[in-house]
Structures are given as structure tokens and as C-alpha cells.
Amino acid sequence: MSVTDADVQAFRQANPDIVTLIENWEDTQPGNDIAGDLRLQDTLQAGFKAMLERSFRAKHSLTLEQQQELVSLIESPASYQKKSPLTKARLLSFRTYRLDKKIAEKTVDQQESKLRKLSEYLTTNQAPLDTDTVADWLKSLELSSKTLTQYLLAGSVFWKWANRYDERWRADYKGRVNPFENHDLPKVRAKDRAASKRKDYSLEDLEVLYDAAQKRGLHVLADLILLGFYTGARTEELCQLTTNNVVTQEKILCFDFPDSKTYAGIRYVPVHPALKPIVKRLQRDSVDGFLIHSTSRNKYKNRSDPLSKAFGRLKTAHGFGKQHVFHSFRGTVVTQLQRANVPGPLIAQIVGHETGTVTYDVYSQGASPLQKLKAISKLPRLKPPTKTDTTPPVT
């Protein structure tokens, strides 16, 4: 590339100190002054570096992170390491965007964590962000196919956001395929899926767990166990219920679940006859407006955390493994209602699931509270266990 007179003039105006030093050097230094020549070289290098930095700062609006990267590159080009395109600034912008879109903070945190891991991998291996690199990264994680799918989802969501809202990203990655799509993940055999699937509790199991909670003085947990079985609701749904969420619909006493991740999850569930005295007591004794008392300090404002952990310790003490969790109550409820000949669409409405059919999910206004009450009343009342509980205390 040729240098024009205008380029020379611009350089002279921007760097008068360097120009003066060069013009006067020959007149002020004796011949064969090697030390002086070396000093001139160092001075020119320092001046050139300063000129480069000033030039880049003038032409580009750099973040603090980019300014530090620029200085590192100018000072030591040979040892410079390319940074990941998933910069802190980009991840922060991505985070802000998603929170503004009312994406759950926990979901945002989890996906951001996955993206940070990818960013570290790109920097450590000095690798480009492409399909091959992502494939190698996935192999290095040594995780299940289900978990790897979550990593790919996080990457794909970020990729689509960046290509729409990040101008620099669009310029750098224009026309490139999404590197988080079309990956061949390890196939999970049906036998392995069955082995890892959550298992329902039997009625006898629930009776033992409820009795154990009562005997250990875990009365709030015992109430939660009953609410879980007689509603089929999720743990956090139950812990978010307030006294105002106990309502009467068409003369039927119901729990009002007003918020959910899905439309189907917003529902009324009739109060099972076995729960009526318990609900009345919970309403009367509430000190904070919630039916279930919680000491949670969870950063995501989830009230169920301490109770979920207490239940985990309780069920583990009684020999239940990872396949049995509080969420397993939902499976127990569905199974019991199905065996009581309750129609599938009605079961789905009680537990807050879509049926997968346009007829029921789009056009139907749903079963009446009375129909739901007749269905849920088919859940049998729990009975005290006949065996003496010898399990060690749970702390």
C-alpha cells in the first residue's frame, strides 16, 4: 500500500515529537554512536506504540476490557492471546436483554454459566467459534446427552441474540452457520432412560414419609407432603400459595395457582376433602400471608428451598434414591387418577399440563370445578403406617 503526501502530513501533525527527534538526530549525535542509535530505536518504538494506541482510541469507541486488550497487543504482539468473542461486555448485554424480557433469573444465570465455560475453552485453546470447536468442547465436558443439549440451547439462544442485536458480531460472523446446531450427541438407550426416570411413590411410601415427618416435629413439611399428594402441584407452586389463593369457584373451595411457566399451569384445583381442616388451620395460623411457612433466603426468591432440602434428607433416610423426589408426587397423583378412571384431559387440567390437542388446549374452557372435585376426591386418604418407624432422626 502506497503512502500519500496526505498520510505523511497527518503523521507529522499527530506526532510532532517523534518527527523532531528523527530530524535532529543526525545533527546532534556523533558517528558510530551505537548506544545512541539503540536509544533512538527504543524511543521510536515507544512513540510508535503510543501513536498506535492513540489512533485506535480515536477511531473506535473501546470498552475498558478492549482498551486493556489493545495495550497488551501493542506491547507484546508475539505473546498476545486472542480473546474469546463471548466477552464479558457481550454476556452482560445478553443478560440485561433477557432479564428485560422477563426470563427467569435462575434460567439466565444457568445459561450464562454455560457460556462462560465455552468462553474459557475458546481462550485456553485459542480456538475459533465454529461447529468443530463446539463439538470438541462438548466432548471435553463428559456430560450426559440431556445436559449437553442444555449447553447447546444456551449457545444457540446467545448466537441468535448476537446476530440480531450486536452490530460488531453481525459483521464478524455474517453468513456463518449456527455452530450450536446439528450436533450428533450420544444416543441414550431405552434401558438407560428407564433407569434414570423418576419413580412414583406408592401410597404406602407416602404414608411412611408423612408419618416420619410428623414424628420428627417437621410439621410444616408434613403439611407440604399432604398438599403435594392431594393437589399434584409442584413444590414451589405450593410454597407460593397465600391465604388469598384459597378461593371459591362455583361454590367449590379451590386453590388458585395464578402464575406458571406455561399457560396450562395457571389453574384452579379443588381442595380435596381430606385437606379442608388443614387448609383452614394454615389460613388461621399464617403469620406472613403464605399457607406454608418458609425460612428461605434463596436469591431467586424461591420459598421451597429449605423444605425441599428437608424432604430430601427425610426420603434419603428412608431408603429412597435420586429417582424419588418431591416432584414424584405429581406422578403418583396422575397414576392414581388414571387408575380411578379419570379421563386424561381432566387429569392434565388438574396438574397443569397441556393435552397436546387443539380441541382441549385451544377451544375448551376446561372442566368445571365440580368435575375437578369429583375427580380429585378419588385420591385415597392416607392412613397411618402399621409398622413402627425405626429410622434414625433427620436433622
Side-chain angles (χ1 to χ4, degrees):
M1 181 179 69
S2 60
V3 178
T4 66
D5 291 339
D7 293 332
V8 173
Q9 186 61 28
F11 178 84
R12 295 177 67 90
Q13 291 178 354
N15 304 276
D17 49 344
I18 297 178
V19 172
T20 301
L21 181 64
I22 295 174
E23 289 177 344
N24 296 335
W25 190 262
E26 290 294 336
D27 298 334
T28 58
Q29 299 300 319
N32 299 322
D33 185 3
I34 297 177
D37 289 342
L38 291 176
R39 286 195 300 274
L40 174 61
Q41 180 178 335
D42 290 341
T43 303
L44 290 175
Q45 285 180 346
F48 182 68
K49 290 176 181 179
M51 179 194 68
L52 278 178
E53 186 176 347
R54 285 199 303 270
S55 177
F56 268 91
R57 287 177 183 271
K59 290 182 178 180
H60 305 284
S61 178
L62 303 179
T63 65
L64 178 61
E65 183 180 1
Q66 290 171 330
Q67 292 175 23
Q68 293 171 344
E69 187 176 353
L70 173 63
V71 171
S72 175
L73 176 59
I74 293 175
E75 285 296 327
S76 182
S79 61
Y80 169 75
Q81 278 198 322
K82 182 174 61 176
K83 303 297 183 182
S84 161
L86 280 71
T87 62
K88 292 180 180 178
R90 276 199 174 108
L91 291 180
L92 178 59
S93 296
F94 178 56
R95 176 185 182 83
T96 301
Y97 170 82
R98 303 203 75 206
L99 291 176
D100 287 345
K101 291 296 183 181
K102 307 303 180 184
I103 305 299
E105 185 178 0
K106 184 176 182 180
T107 300
V108 173
D109 285 350
Q110 289 174 337
Q111 293 191 337
E112 185 178 339
S113 174
K114 293 175 175 59
L115 292 170
R116 285 199 300 267
K117 290 179 182 178
L118 172 58
S119 183
E120 291 170 3
Y121 181 88
L122 296 176
T123 301
T124 300
N125 293 277
Q126 289 293 280
L129 180 57
D130 57 26
T131 302
D132 291 338
T133 299
V134 172
D136 292 339
W137 173 57
L138 294 177
K139 290 178 183 177
S140 72
L141 295 175
E142 298 182 351
L143 298 171
S144 68
S145 294
K146 181 179 180 180
T147 304
L148 292 178
T149 299
Q150 295 171 351
Y151 275 77
L152 289 174
L153 175 61
S156 192
V157 171
F158 174 84
W159 178 270
K160 292 174 182 177
W161 168 83
N163 274 284
R164 183 172 182 180
Y165 295 104
D166 190 307
E167 183 178 355
R168 182 64 190 178
W169 184 281
R170 287 201 303 271
D172 291 343
Y173 290 92
K174 182 178 180 180
R176 300 195 191 186
V177 299
N178 185 335
F180 301 99
E181 294 181 346
N182 302 318
H183 285 272
D184 293 325
L185 300 179
K187 302 297 182 183
V188 181
R189 296 183 304 168
K191 181 179 180 181
D192 295 331
R193 285 200 301 271
S196 61
K197 183 181 177 181
R198 286 174 179 163
K199 292 183 178 180
D200 300 352
Y201 294 104
S202 68
L203 295 178
E204 292 76 14
D205 293 337
L206 294 181
E207 289 164 352
V208 168
L209 290 171
Y210 172 72
D211 186 66
Q214 288 280 43
K215 289 180 177 178
R216 285 160 177 71
L218 304 174
H219 301 300
V220 175
L221 182 59
D223 289 337
L224 188 63
I225 289 173
L226 290 184
L227 286 171
F229 173 61
Y230 287 123
T231 64
R234 301 171 180 86
T235 326
E236 187 61 24
E237 286 181 325
L238 295 170
C239 289
Q240 291 291 344
L241 285 174
T242 68
T243 55
N244 291 331
N245 292 134
V246 181
V247 298
T248 299
Q249 289 288 311
E250 299 180 20
K251 299 181 180 181
I252 303 297
L253 191 66
C254 297
F255 294 111
D256 174 18
F257 294 100
D259 191 18
S260 178
K261 292 186 293 185
T262 64
Y263 177 76
I266 300 173
R267 64 201 188 280
Y268 292 103
V269 178
V271 176
H272 189 286
L275 278 181
K276 285 188 175 181
I278 297 169
V279 171
K280 185 176 182 179
R281 168 173 55 80
L282 292 175
Q283 288 181 296
R284 182 193 68 220
D285 296 343
S286 175
V287 295
D288 55 6
F290 290 98
L291 291 183
I292 295 294
H293 177 68
S294 173
T295 58
S296 176
R297 297 293 182 270
N298 183 276
K299 64 176 288 189
Y300 304 112
K301 299 182 180 179
N302 290 343
R303 302 185 72 254
S304 59
D305 266 14
L307 292 162
S308 294
K309 292 174 181 176
F311 180 79
R313 294 190 292 268
L314 182 72
K315 62 98 176 178
T316 300
H318 282 78
F320 294 101
K322 294 181 178 180
Q323 292 172 281
H324 285 93
V325 294
F326 193 96
H327 200 82
S328 299
F329 288 173
R330 287 168 64 76
T332 302
V333 170
V334 171
T335 299
Q336 291 296 320
L337 292 178
Q338 184 178 21
R339 291 179 180 179
N341 296 317
V342 176
L346 183 49
I347 297 175
Q349 290 174 34
I350 289 173
V351 298
H353 284 164
E354 294 182 354
T355 67
T357 64
V358 174
T359 303
Y360 290 110
D361 296 336
V362 177
Y363 290 104
S364 175
Q365 294 299 310
S368 69
L370 180 58
Q371 287 176 305
K372 290 182 180 179
L373 176 60
K374 289 180 178 179
I376 209 164
S377 295
K378 293 184 179 182
L379 292 172
R381 293 175 180 260
L382 297 183
K383 301 175 183 178
T386 56
K387 297 185 296 182
T388 301
D389 185 3
T390 59
T391 308
V394 178
T395 58

